[in-house]
């Protein structure tokens, strides 16, 4: 009997001692499974982030969008071109207003919403996808970026060497470098990206495009980047409107080892557009004019640190125009002659960005921008008229955290048209004066 009781007791003790072990095994199992899942590349573990640009805006003056060329406007709101006809006083015609009224011209706007997915696939490859939501009355969603990237660092006795390559819808090198150095994209595009605002409706680069890029960084002192893209920009996707391609080159130098904040940059972009299409289905014979090449070269210098960012870029854009006159619409007799001329421009883009939050508890920020664009005189391009556009802007605000900042921002744009003969009946457009409250929200 006693032996039986001892056996029952031992059996119960063994079972009792085994229960914690079974419990620990059950607790370990989910942790081990989770750890196994983290290493499984088939699982969709991605880095999700986003940013919004919002603003309240008040407008006055000439509101130029860059969609077409601008010129002088009628004085006094009337068309007095034919004030006298054969010495007889004629009726004056009302002229369409080119200036906004000073009343009821304020609005809330969401300028952009970006959503970004990043995924690391192995040690050297990664994928990035960014959608661009552009609210313009009817919202439009674009694929801003979508590329696979190769990145490899090589250690050498004299320093690190970094090799990077991207394929897909990529950021263009010059605009990407400028936005990085000024950190003011939330206030608006830089004035190479938005060159149509200061170069009489002419554009010379896009913020993103479809193609490939490769960059080499030597010892954190020299970066060389080259891209080969379609040229139309990210909104055109792969629906090319012409056969030409764009080549962009960026060389960025940090010349002094103990002043890593200093950047000296050299830029170049060359694009053949091949837009010359023949249309002979009209009578009389037509004269065609179109852009067949555009390019720019330039340089810049900048200071980049947590506290202060300032710099200046200078570009010399050039646009080649072809002009063809056709002699007949009959294919059997069809022939013509072609001539080319250049339209030349100057473009200066400068910026200032001060963030006192980097050294003080108060996150006060001070921002400023200055841009200058000039269209040179051309006999065939603009009838020997030169246009100048000057943008002066600045403001102050507060950065509440690294995820949220706001600024009160004022912008003044002046327009000057130089002509051979003075027309007293017309004047330059009224300067553009806008006031904004701009905000950036990251998440």
């Amino acid at each position: 009997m006693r032996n039986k009781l001892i056996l029952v007791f031992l059996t119960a003790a063994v079972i009792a001692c085994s229960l914690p072990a079974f419990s620990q095994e059950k607790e370990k199992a989910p942790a081990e499974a989770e750890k196994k899942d983290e290493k499984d590349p088939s699982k969709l573990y991605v880095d999700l982030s986003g940013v919004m640009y919002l603003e309240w805006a008040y407008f006055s003056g000439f509101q130029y969008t860059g969609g077409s060329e601008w010129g002088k406007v009628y004085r006094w709101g009337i068309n007095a071109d034919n004030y006298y006809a054969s010495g007889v006083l004629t009726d004056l015609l009302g002229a369409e207003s080119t200036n906004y009224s000073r009343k009821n011209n304020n609005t809330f706007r969401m300028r952009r919403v970006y959503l970004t997915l990043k995924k690391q696939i192995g040690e050297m490859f990664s994928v990035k996808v960014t959608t661009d939501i552009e609210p313009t009355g009817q919202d439009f969603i674009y694929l801003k970026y979508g590329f696979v990237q190769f990145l490899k660092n090589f250690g050498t006795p004299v320093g690190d060497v970094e090799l990077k390559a991207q394929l897909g819808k990529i950021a263009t090198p010059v605009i990407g470098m400028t936005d990085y150095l000024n950190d003011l994209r939330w206030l608006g595009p830089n004035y190479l990206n938005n060159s149509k605002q200061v170069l009489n409706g002419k554009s010379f680069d896009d913020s993103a495009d479809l193609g490939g890029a490769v960059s080499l960084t030597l010892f954190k002192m020299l970066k060389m980047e080259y891209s080969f893209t379609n040229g139309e920009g990210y909104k055109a996707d792969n629906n090319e409107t012409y056969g030409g391609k764009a080549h962009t080159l960026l060389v960025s130098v940090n010349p002094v080892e103990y002043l890593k904040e200093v950047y000296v940059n050299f830029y170049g972009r060359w694009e053949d557009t091949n837009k010359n299409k023949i249309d002979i289905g009209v009578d009389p014979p037509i004269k065609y004019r179109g852009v067949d090449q555009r390019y720019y070269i330039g340089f810049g210098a900048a200071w980049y640190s947590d506290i202060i960012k300032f710099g200046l870029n200078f570009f010399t854009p050039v646009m080649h125009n072809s002009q063809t006159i056709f002699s007949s619409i009959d294919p059997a007799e069809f022939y013509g002659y072609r001539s080319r001329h250049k339209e030349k421009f100057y473009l200066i883009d400068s910026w200032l960005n001060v963030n006192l939050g980097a050294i003080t508890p108060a996150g006060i920020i001070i921002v400023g921008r200055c841009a200058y664009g000039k269209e040179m005189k051309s006999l065939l391009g603009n009838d020997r008229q030169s246009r100048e556009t000057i943008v002066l802007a600045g403001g102050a605000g507060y950065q509440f955290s690294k995820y949220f900042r706001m600024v009160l921002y004022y912008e003044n744009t002046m327009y000057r048209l130089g002509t051979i003969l003075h027309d007293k009946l017309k004047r330059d457009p009224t300067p553009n004066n806008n006031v904004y409250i701009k905000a950036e929200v990251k998440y």
Side-chain angles (χ1 to χ4, degrees):
M1 182 69 181
R2 187 178 62 181
N3 291 336
K4 290 182 179 181
L5 290 175
I6 293 175
L7 181 61
V8 171
F9 177 79
L10 291 176
T11 302
V14 170
I15 294 175
C17 293
S18 300
L19 288 176
F22 291 147
S23 176
Q24 290 177 6
E25 288 296 325
K26 291 181 180 181
E27 291 176 358
K28 289 181 180 179
E32 291 179 355
E34 183 178 351
K35 186 176 181 181
K36 182 179 179 181
D37 288 345
E38 290 178 354
K39 297 180 179 180
D40 188 353
S42 65
K43 302 296 182 181
L44 188 61
Y45 296 105
V46 297
D47 180 9
L48 173 63
S49 62
V51 62
M52 293 189 300
Y53 303 148
L54 306 104
E55 69 181 21
W56 172 86
Y58 172 82
F59 308 108
S60 68
F62 177 58
Q63 301 295 313
Y64 178 62
T65 63
S68 60
E69 296 184 350
W70 64 267
K72 286 184 175 289
V73 299
Y74 295 108
R75 291 184 183 272
W76 315 295
I78 58 174
N79 181 353
D81 285 345
N82 297 320
Y83 188 76
Y84 287 98
S86 302
V88 180
L89 182 64
T90 62
D91 293 333
L92 297 177
L93 301 177
E96 182 179 355
S97 175
T98 57
N99 297 328
Y100 273 65
S101 167
R102 293 186 178 273
K103 296 181 179 180
N104 300 324
N105 283 297
N106 67 89
T107 184
F108 290 96
R109 301 192 296 187
M110 180 175 287
R111 305 299 291 173
R112 278 295 194 275
V113 176
Y114 296 107
L115 296 175
T116 299
L117 293 173
K118 294 181 181 180
K119 170 69 175 179
Q120 192 72 27
I121 47 176
E123 296 182 357
M124 293 179 290
F125 290 94
S126 62
V127 174
K128 178 180 178 180
V129 176
T130 298
T131 61
D132 178 4
I133 304 174
E134 181 181 7
T136 55
Q138 179 181 357
D139 294 356
F140 291 92
I141 300 179
Y142 303 95
L143 178 63
K144 183 66 178 285
Y145 305 120
F147 59 83
V148 58
Q149 174 178 282
F150 169 84
L151 179 63
K152 178 65 175 178
N153 285 290
F154 302 91
T156 69
V158 293
D160 293 338
V161 176
E162 180 185 277
L163 177 63
K164 182 173 69 174
Q166 296 177 343
L167 180 63
K169 189 169 285 190
I170 60 176
T172 53
V174 180
I175 291 177
M177 172 61 77
T178 303
D179 285 342
Y180 166 76
L181 291 175
N182 63 31
D183 189 26
L184 294 177
R185 176 60 187 87
W186 62 293
L187 301 182
N190 65 71
Y191 283 95
L192 176 63
N193 188 7
N194 199 26
S195 64
K196 65 181 182 179
Q197 289 292 121
V198 293
L199 296 183
N200 195 26
K202 308 299 192 302
S203 296
F204 289 89
D205 207 344
D206 297 285
S207 58
D209 204 355
L210 196 62
V214 60
S215 69
L216 179 66
T217 303
L218 302 176
F219 322 128
K220 298 182 180 179
M221 297 181 64
L222 173 64
K223 178 180 180 179
M224 297 175 289
E225 185 170 0
Y226 166 78
S227 70
F228 180 65
T229 59
N230 281 342
E232 286 90 349
Y234 71 98
K235 292 183 180 180
D237 289 335
N238 60 337
N239 300 317
E240 285 195 277
T241 57
Y242 48 80
K245 294 293 185 292
H247 308 263
T248 306
L249 180 65
L250 166 68
V251 178
S252 182
V253 183
N254 298 105
V256 184
E257 184 176 359
Y258 54 84
L259 284 179
K260 289 298 185 181
E261 297 85 359
V262 176
Y263 288 78
V264 178
N265 302 319
F266 301 92
Y267 314 115
R269 186 179 188 270
W270 299 266
E271 179 184 359
D272 294 322
T273 61
N274 297 331
K275 281 187 175 179
N276 293 298
K277 298 180 180 179
I278 298 176
D279 182 7
I280 61 174
V282 295
D283 190 16
I286 65 171
K287 180 170 69 173
Y288 175 81
R289 172 183 166 185
V291 178
D292 60 11
Q293 188 181 58
R294 59 178 182 170
Y295 62 88
Y296 65 78
I297 57 175
F299 63 90
W303 177 279
Y304 178 91
S305 67
D306 292 337
I307 303 173
I308 184 170
K309 302 174 181 65
F310 66 90
L312 180 146
N313 285 336
F314 175 75
F315 302 96
T316 58
V318 177
M319 185 170 287
H320 282 239
N321 287 270
S322 67
Q323 191 167 262
T324 305
I325 298 177
F326 304 110
S327 61
S328 174
I329 63 173
D330 184 357
E333 301 178 359
F334 180 79
Y335 66 93
Y337 66 90
R338 178 172 176 264
S339 64
R340 299 181 72 199
H341 69 272
K342 296 180 181 179
E343 294 184 52
K344 299 180 179 180
F345 306 84
Y346 290 147
L347 174 59
I348 298 175
D349 182 16
S350 59
W351 61 89
L352 171 68
N353 186 353
V354 180
N355 183 4
L356 299 181
I359 56 175
T360 66
I364 298 173
I365 54 179
I366 301 171
V367 295
R369 271 183 163 173
C370 177
Y372 172 77
K374 183 173 183 179
E375 179 185 17
M376 310 300 290
K377 294 181 179 179
S378 172
L379 176 62
L380 298 178
N382 53 31
D383 297 325
R384 296 198 181 279
Q385 300 180 38
S386 65
R387 289 177 173 85
E388 292 180 295
T389 305
I390 303 173
V391 180
L392 300 174
Y398 197 86
Q399 181 162 332
F400 300 92
S401 70
K402 64 179 181 179
Y403 303 106
F404 180 43
R405 51 184 171 175
M406 295 183 67
V407 68
L408 176 63
Y409 191 68
Y410 169 74
E411 179 183 65
N412 173 263
T413 308
M414 295 169 284
Y415 307 91
R416 300 174 182 172
L417 175 61
T419 58
I420 299 176
L421 300 176
H422 176 66
D423 186 353
K424 64 180 181 180
L425 300 177
K426 294 182 179 180
R427 59 176 173 79
D428 291 331
T430 303
N432 174 326
N433 291 279
N434 299 330
V435 179
Y436 305 90
I437 298 177
K438 291 179 176 282
E440 179 194 54
V441 182
K442 297 180 180 179
Y443 47 93

